[in-house]
Amino acid sequence: MTRYFFDISDRDSTVRDDIGIELNNIGEAVAEARRALGEMLMDALHATERNHFEIRIRDGVEGPYLLWVSSDGISSADAAAAEAEKSAAKQ
Amino acid sequence: MIDAIDDLLDPLYARLGARDQLRADERRELRAIAGPIRTFMAGTDMVTEGARVTRSTLMVSGYSIRYRMLAGGERQITAIHIPGDFVDLHSFLLKTMDHSVGALSACSVVFYDHKDLEAVTRRHPHLTRMLWLSTLLDGAVHREWIVGMGRLSAFARLAHLICELYVRLNVTGQTSSAHFDLPITQMELADTLGISAVHVNRVLQEMRDKALVSWKGSHIEILDWQKLVDAAEFDPTYLHLNQEPR
């Protein structure tokens, strides 16, 4: 088991992880980070919050490994949908 | 000895008593049929999924969890139990456990043999209804968790869990002003809220940044109850805290 640390950044700040999580390998750490990014993105999209998220995985030996996802880049295919998207974001 | 048992049963009396008065003879009955006391170390199983059980387990100290394991090793915690809760009163009629119960912290329990509970149902109709109520309250909490899991953000879910545990612990006298203990790891919190442990970290940080709670080790202090309630859309109706004839 290795202790992996996950520093999370969004548009405003970075939170350094000093506790970490024990996992079997970097593959599990990446899977954990991907899941977290998906959840954070989903909450941001629901809240119509323009944001992006980055997770930097550190294990003290290799890396860091960087994964990121964004809710900035949502695009709407036609003008009406874009307008609705804009008004949802305002609420 | 009888006093010692009564102390152990105080959280149960308080939990049921908050919903309807328990008569002296009913307390006497709960005391008389109380089985042996046992302690469990944190992280050990108290009841295992698939087991055929012949007794129900009452929490008298510590914290326990109900959980299900999935094939890939993932876990979902479906309830957190505190002193005064039965962790498996439903096994009296369901017989086979469809989930496991584990000790979240060191805990002690009192066992109630199903044959003694069966005798209660014949002798004490009101106490029987109170025990029925106990399992109904478990069901109400499960429903509230499903709503949160399906519809609330991770932040709101954590806020809701804190509100709920505070109110439940308050009923059994285990809070002091705005403080209570919850000995839970980041991973266990993730399994409770149905989110990844990494995400738990972020949500905890957000809660600190917004100054809703202070969380140090297992110690939680609620800094802004109203904001926490608003964030969680917490409405304690589902805890049925009015004392009335049942």
Side-chain angles (χ1 to χ4, degrees), chain B residues 24-34 120 123-124 127:
Chain B
D25 64 311
E26 294 171 333
R27 288 172 193 240
R28 222 167 20 246
E29 182 69 19
L30 287 170
R31 198 161 62 212
I33 64 169
V120 165
R123 288 198 300 264
H124 296 273
L127 182 54

Side-chain angles (χ1 to χ4, degrees), chain B residues 157-182:
Chain B
R157 255 181 259 176
L158 178 62
H160 197 280
L161 180 70
I162 295 169
C163 290
E164 178 187 299
L165 283 172
Y166 178 75
V167 171
R168 286 167 58 200
L169 288 164
N170 203 33
V171 166
T172 52
Q174 291 161 95
T175 55
S176 72
S177 65
H179 304 249
F180 68 97
D181 278 309
L182 179 62

Side-chain angles (χ1 to χ4, degrees), chain A residues 17-91:
Chain A
D17 176 14
D18 295 317
I19 301 164
I21 305 168
E22 294 252 312
L23 295 164
N24 285 315
N25 51 52
I26 184 67
E28 282 189 19
V30 168
E32 185 67 30
R34 289 175 66 93
R35 194 171 156 205
L37 286 170
E39 291 164 1
M40 293 189 293
L41 182 68
M42 189 175 80
D43 284 353
L45 287 171
H46 275 223
T48 54
E49 164 197 324
R50 300 275 172 176
N51 211 337
H52 59 254
F53 304 98
E54 255 179 44
I55 296 182
R56 195 176 294 270
I57 308 172
R58 290 177 288 115
D59 64 1
V61 187
E62 298 168 80
Y65 301 85
L66 185 69
L67 291 92
W68 68 272
V69 67
S70 172
S71 69
D72 282 326
I74 287 245
S75 58
S76 307
D78 58 62
E83 205 47 46
E85 161 77 11
K86 219 185 288 173
S87 79
K90 269 187 210 140
Q91 276 168 20

Side-chain angles (χ1 to χ4, degrees), chain B residues 188-201:
Chain B
E188 288 160 343
L189 206 46
D191 290 346
T192 304
L193 301 174
I195 60 177
S196 70
V198 174
H199 195 189
V200 165
N201 220 358

Side-chain angles (χ1 to χ4, degrees), chain B residues 26-138:
Chain B
E26 294 171 333
R27 288 172 193 240
R28 222 167 20 246
E29 182 69 19
L30 287 170
R31 198 161 62 212
I33 64 169
I37 298 160
R38 221 191 117 182
T39 56
F40 291 90
M41 308 247 293
T44 57
D45 269 352
M46 298 159 61
V47 192
T48 318
E49 184 177 335
R52 294 279 299 179
V53 287
T54 58
R55 60 190 184 183
S56 288
T57 310
L58 172 71
M59 294 289 297
V60 297
S61 76
Y63 294 78
S64 64
I65 48 173
R66 296 196 204 189
Y67 69 91
R68 282 281 321 278
M69 294 293 294
L70 298 177
E74 279 192 307
R75 177 169 77 160
Q76 178 66 48
I77 292 172
T78 60
I80 295 180
H81 284 298
I82 62 171
D85 289 353
F86 275 97
V87 299
D88 61 349
L89 187 56
H90 56 325
S91 73
F92 168 42
L93 294 176
L94 296 183
K95 311 291 185 193
T96 302
M97 286 297 286
D98 52 32
H99 59 85
S100 297
V101 180
L104 192 59
S105 67
C107 25
S108 41
V109 304
V110 166
F111 292 117
Y112 281 91
D113 266 324
H114 287 171
K115 63 176 167 36
D116 292 328
L117 291 174
E118 202 268 325
V120 165
T121 66
R122 277 185 277 112
R123 288 198 300 264
H124 296 273
H126 179 252
L127 182 54
T128 300
R129 291 199 299 278
M130 293 303 278
L131 294 175
W132 183 2
L133 176 72
S134 176
T135 64
L136 294 179
L137 291 172
D138 291 343

